[in-house]
Amino acid sequence: MNSPYELEFSVAGEDFLAAGEGSNRVKETLKMLGIASDFCRRASIITYEAEMNLVIHARGGTVHVEICPEQLVLTTIDEGPGIEDVELAMQEGYSTAPDHIREMGFGAGMGLSNIKRNADDLAIDSRPGEGTTLRAVVRFAQGKGGIA
Amino acid sequence: MGHGVKIFNAACKGCVNCIKSCPTEAIRVVDGRVRIIPELCIDCGECLRTCTKKALGMDEDDWDTLRTAGDLQVMSDPTLYAQLGSYRRPGVVRDALSHFGVREVASEVPLAYDVGAYAIARALEEAEPGRKPLISTYCPAIVRLVQVRFPELLPRLVPVESPLEIAGQIWRRDHRDSNLTLVAPCPAKITLVREPVGREKSSFTSVVAVKRVTRDLLASGATAEVPQKPMENIRWLMWALRGGETRHVTQFLDRPVKTMVVSGLRNTLDLLQELELGHLPGVDYVECRVCDLGCIGGIGNAETRFLSEIRLRELPVRWELTEHEFGEVQELYDQGIWKLKVSPRATQSRTLGKNVAESMNRLQKLKKVYDELPHIDCGACGRPTCHALAEDIVRGEGEVTDCIFKLRDRISTLAREIADLSGHVPHTLRNREED
Ligand code: SF4
Ligand code: SF4
């Protein structure tokens, strides 16, 4: 039995240019393992959106990725403002992004719904005023829309 | 694999400049030799641009041999006609070439480009919204880049053959066994001939660089009469310039579509990345070229892309087709001559091991090796990044001491040991010293 492979990186708040590096690393790592491309795509979308959430809403945070032969677990931890209503935040188009960020074309309220669409499991633990922990899972064998 | 890039080992000085330029990290300099990992190379030609020692070149056929063998028939990429101010009209180039025994058989080409553009327009009209934007397949380096680095985007490649191949096929109908040489602006179009994607075999039998032919045209001093009659159908020449393809395609669309034109390697990579993440909603078609300004920026051209651009922009182009022309296009379209026979597949990715478990093991090892490296990506080890070196090491294709910093560490450890040892007194002398 292999021990899981772990990746960890921190994301700075409002650093739009850096977001995406993590998702690239995740994708490259999965490719080296020979994980089918559909799963690579889903994992990289989830990572990217999670990174973006840290950039836009949470003033930064850390991303932790754990990869096993069976699945990938992504966890983000931040000490941002937290989410008032998780249900609502997951709806497509719902956004609390401030105007100056929306003007740049970000924060259209697709992030969480996009993560949900691509993850096999998603759990969000958020405390307003304290921060948010998000955990998303992609299962490589029987997961959503994947080829076994 | 029949790639478009050739290595001249004797000229290589081991400067490792090329390894940094490669968008797919396909180059290594190991044991004093440049090596290209064939399944990663997309034939973009970036390494050729960077190498000042001429250790990398286009793997074209020998123009002099082809020429002296006689009865040479060539078909050219549109870029050829933008190389020399005086030869801007295909008919004039044809004349000039015939002066030194080369037959240019371009008559099928304009029609083939019309058919290609028409087929793309139809594909755009038929594609479901979820499959858009469709991506142009005109630049073979882009097709390979998608195969190697963005396999998720393969279904978006428009299933239309390169118009050059369409033209070759039309010509082949009457010339079954003849030879046909493509005049190409880049290594990618050499690969189009040698190792096509989307079809079994190319209609071309050999391929040479635009540069070669242009030089001969210049040296021959051949002058051709500039005909007074109106310009022939030259819509196709515009495909050499960024945006030309899109302009041609929109000619065949009734409704407006949102198109995006991108050229240059950096821009292309950015664009594909955005597309992969599912961004850019609402875009219908993406025309991208790895070369700046389009194919006139190809490394195999003689003229600078800036001048070629001006020349092409000055040409009076008639975009509307005559009824007769349109009839011909429709007929060829119905015959399906434009279709890519085989859908491009993902390039088998270079996994670390034979299966996921072995790959996981090596990945853990890779992490350890990588953590020990200095992470400055200096390239002195002959790999583009420290990560690539770590990867080569776990694959058994490199040593930790290929890293000059690790080598220095080893030397200093060794030096300390030597210093230590030098303090030791030979045992034969030991007693005497104690006395
Ligand atoms: S042609 Fe492009 S992909 Fe191939 S080795 Fe050179 S730089 Fe890399
Ligand atoms: S843009 Fe044109 S010249 Fe450049 S690599 Fe692609 S096909 Fe070749």
Short mmCIF file of all heavy atoms in Angstrom, two decimals, chain B residues 44 138-141 185-186 188-189 289-291 294-295 298, ligand 2:
data_model
loop_
_atom_site.label_atom_id
_atom_site.label_comp_id
_atom_site.label_asym_id
_atom_site.label_seq_id
_atom_site.Cartn_x
_atom_site.Cartn_y
_atom_site.Cartn_z
N CYS B 44 7.03 23.05 -32.98
CA CYS B 44 6.71 24.47 -33.04
C CYS B 44 7.87 25.30 -33.59
O CYS B 44 7.67 26.42 -34.04
CB CYS B 44 6.32 24.99 -31.66
SG CYS B 44 7.69 24.91 -30.48
N TYR B 138 -5.55 24.36 -38.39
CA TYR B 138 -4.66 24.76 -39.49
C TYR B 138 -3.19 24.67 -39.11
O TYR B 138 -2.36 24.26 -39.90
CB TYR B 138 -5.01 26.18 -39.94
CG TYR B 138 -4.27 26.61 -41.18
CD1 TYR B 138 -4.51 25.97 -42.40
CD2 TYR B 138 -3.33 27.63 -41.15
CE1 TYR B 138 -3.83 26.36 -43.55
CE2 TYR B 138 -2.65 28.03 -42.30
CZ TYR B 138 -2.90 27.39 -43.50
OH TYR B 138 -2.24 27.76 -44.62
N CYS B 139 -2.86 25.06 -37.89
CA CYS B 139 -1.45 24.98 -37.47
C CYS B 139 -1.20 23.61 -36.85
O CYS B 139 -1.73 23.30 -35.79
CB CYS B 139 -1.15 26.09 -36.45
SG CYS B 139 0.45 25.90 -35.66
N PRO B 140 -0.39 22.78 -37.51
CA PRO B 140 -0.19 21.41 -37.00
C PRO B 140 0.45 21.39 -35.61
O PRO B 140 0.26 20.44 -34.86
CB PRO B 140 0.75 20.77 -38.03
CG PRO B 140 0.70 21.65 -39.23
CD PRO B 140 0.35 23.02 -38.76
N ALA B 141 1.19 22.46 -35.28
CA ALA B 141 1.82 22.50 -33.96
C ALA B 141 0.75 22.65 -32.87
O ALA B 141 0.89 22.13 -31.76
CB ALA B 141 2.83 23.63 -33.88
N PRO B 185 6.59 26.55 -44.39
CA PRO B 185 7.19 27.63 -43.60
C PRO B 185 7.73 27.20 -42.24
O PRO B 185 8.21 28.04 -41.49
CB PRO B 185 6.03 28.60 -43.42
CG PRO B 185 4.83 27.71 -43.37
CD PRO B 185 5.12 26.52 -44.25
N CYS B 186 7.63 25.92 -41.87
CA CYS B 186 7.95 25.56 -40.50
C CYS B 186 8.11 24.05 -40.32
O CYS B 186 7.64 23.29 -41.15
CB CYS B 186 6.81 26.02 -39.60
SG CYS B 186 5.24 25.23 -40.05
N ALA B 188 6.50 22.26 -38.29
CA ALA B 188 5.19 21.65 -38.08
C ALA B 188 4.58 21.17 -39.39
O ALA B 188 3.95 20.12 -39.45
CB ALA B 188 4.26 22.65 -37.39
N LYS B 189 4.79 21.95 -40.45
CA LYS B 189 4.21 21.54 -41.73
C LYS B 189 5.07 20.47 -42.40
O LYS B 189 4.61 19.81 -43.33
CB LYS B 189 3.96 22.75 -42.62
CG LYS B 189 2.63 23.40 -42.25
CD LYS B 189 2.29 24.61 -43.06
CE LYS B 189 0.93 25.14 -42.64
NZ LYS B 189 0.85 26.61 -42.74
N ARG B 289 -2.40 30.28 -33.81
CA ARG B 289 -1.16 29.91 -34.49
C ARG B 289 -0.03 30.04 -33.49
O ARG B 289 0.02 31.05 -32.77
CB ARG B 289 -0.87 30.87 -35.65
CG ARG B 289 -2.00 31.05 -36.64
CD ARG B 289 -2.04 29.91 -37.64
NE ARG B 289 -2.96 30.21 -38.72
CZ ARG B 289 -4.23 29.82 -38.73
NH1 ARG B 289 -4.73 29.14 -37.71
NH2 ARG B 289 -5.01 30.11 -39.74
N VAL B 290 0.90 29.11 -33.48
CA VAL B 290 2.00 29.26 -32.53
C VAL B 290 2.98 30.35 -32.95
O VAL B 290 3.76 30.82 -32.13
CB VAL B 290 2.77 27.95 -32.24
CG1 VAL B 290 1.86 26.90 -31.66
CG2 VAL B 290 3.50 27.45 -33.45
N CYS B 291 2.97 30.75 -34.20
CA CYS B 291 3.93 31.78 -34.63
C CYS B 291 3.32 33.18 -34.55
O CYS B 291 2.14 33.36 -34.88
CB CYS B 291 4.40 31.51 -36.04
SG CYS B 291 5.31 29.96 -36.15
N GLY B 294 1.04 34.86 -37.24
CA GLY B 294 0.56 33.79 -38.12
C GLY B 294 1.71 33.10 -38.83
O GLY B 294 2.87 33.24 -38.43
N CYS B 295 1.39 32.38 -39.90
CA CYS B 295 2.42 31.57 -40.56
C CYS B 295 3.56 32.38 -41.16
O CYS B 295 4.66 31.86 -41.35
CB CYS B 295 1.79 30.69 -41.63
SG CYS B 295 0.72 29.42 -40.92
N GLY B 298 6.62 31.95 -39.31
CA GLY B 298 7.25 30.62 -39.25
C GLY B 298 8.75 30.72 -39.45
O GLY B 298 9.23 31.55 -40.21
S1 SF4 C 2 1.74 29.07 -37.16
FE1 SF4 C 2 2.01 28.40 -39.26
S2 SF4 C 2 4.19 28.60 -39.59
FE2 SF4 C 2 3.89 28.62 -37.38
S3 SF4 C 2 4.09 26.50 -36.73
FE3 SF4 C 2 1.93 26.86 -37.09
S4 SF4 C 2 1.62 26.23 -39.21
FE4 SF4 C 2 3.80 26.50 -38.93
#
